[in-house]
Amino acid sequence: VYATDENGNRVTNESGVPQTLIEPFVPISEAGSVEYLGYKLVLPEGWAITDDSNKFINEAAGHYVTVSPINDTYENYYADQREMYDLLAEEYPNSVSWTEDVSIGAGCIKVVRFTLTVEGEMRVMYFFENSGNLYKILFESANTETLIDDSMTFCLAITYKPYKYYDVT
């Protein structure tokens, strides 16, 4: 962004070139939606933003979710998560599930949904690529009956921006 003085005028160097600053993207919140660096979310009914960046809550349902870009390749992340799933499935076969090619919105490819239910708590994680980025969306709730459906509604309410966060090789 351009550096400005107390009056909002651009600050220049000795050569007259405008000075710039590197600042983190500040989420833009409007009625019923929020926009972050890589995506825009039209909040589904019952969902609200939190004070923590990229975290949302549905208090009535008892659901929490975090949306995160991951600085890794899809192949590495997939292998790590599949290894974790295989270990858990061996020890707790009725507590985990792995579903591939889940449809969660435009541009989301290679989507995997990995669920874990332990002691009445459920975690539902989606990971996928969109515009060359790897994303993870992690839902947590004690309300295991509605979490899968509610997570799908939430995921379908996200529109991703068409550029890359990280140059991962």
Side-chain angles (χ1 to χ4, degrees):
V1 296
Y2 288 108
T4 57
D5 61 20
E6 61 276 354
N7 297 321
N9 299 315
R10 288 186 187 168
V11 175
T12 59
N13 65 15
E14 308 80 45
S15 303
V17 176
Q19 296 293 301
T20 58
L21 303 170
I22 297 175
E23 293 186 6
F25 183 84
V26 177
I28 302 167
S29 185
E30 298 176 337
S33 70
V34 63
E35 186 172 345
Y36 287 91
L37 181 62
Y39 66 93
K40 181 174 183 178
L41 169 66
V42 176
L43 291 161
E45 185 176 336
W47 287 94
I49 60 174
T50 68
D51 291 336
D52 295 327
S53 186
N54 297 300
K55 293 184 180 181
F56 306 90
I57 186 171
N58 183 327
E59 284 191 58
H63 302 328
Y64 301 88
V65 63
T66 305
V67 179
S68 308
I70 305 295
N71 188 6
D72 199 355
T73 66
Y74 179 88
E75 293 73 20
N76 288 344
Y77 199 77
Y78 180 100
D80 290 345
Q81 297 308 310
R82 185 60 199 215
E83 182 179 346
M84 177 63 70
Y85 167 78
D86 290 341
L87 289 170
L88 291 168
E90 194 172 298
E91 192 161 337
Y92 309 102
N94 298 323
S95 296
V96 294
S97 70
W98 183 273
T99 308
E100 296 194 23
D101 298 322
V102 178
S103 180
I104 62 167
C108 298
I109 60 171
K110 302 188 271 186
V111 181
V112 173
R113 179 173 54 217
F114 176 7
T115 67
L116 171 65
T117 306
V118 177
E119 299 177 6
E121 296 279 330
M122 185 178 209
R123 288 185 176 83
V124 177
M125 178 178 66
Y126 296 86
F127 65 92
F128 56 94
E129 285 187 342
N130 189 298
S131 296
N133 296 303
L134 175 60
Y135 287 94
K136 173 178 85 171
I137 303 178
L138 178 63
F139 294 85
E140 300 175 87
S141 184
N143 183 351
T144 61
E145 292 181 23
T146 65
L147 187 57
I148 297 288
D149 289 342
D150 292 346
S151 71
M152 289 295 296
T153 299
F154 186 93
C155 289
L156 289 166
I158 301 174
T159 304
Y160 296 89
K161 296 181 183 176
Y163 55 81
K164 289 183 76 167
Y165 274 99
Y166 304 111
D167 188 20
V168 181
T169 56

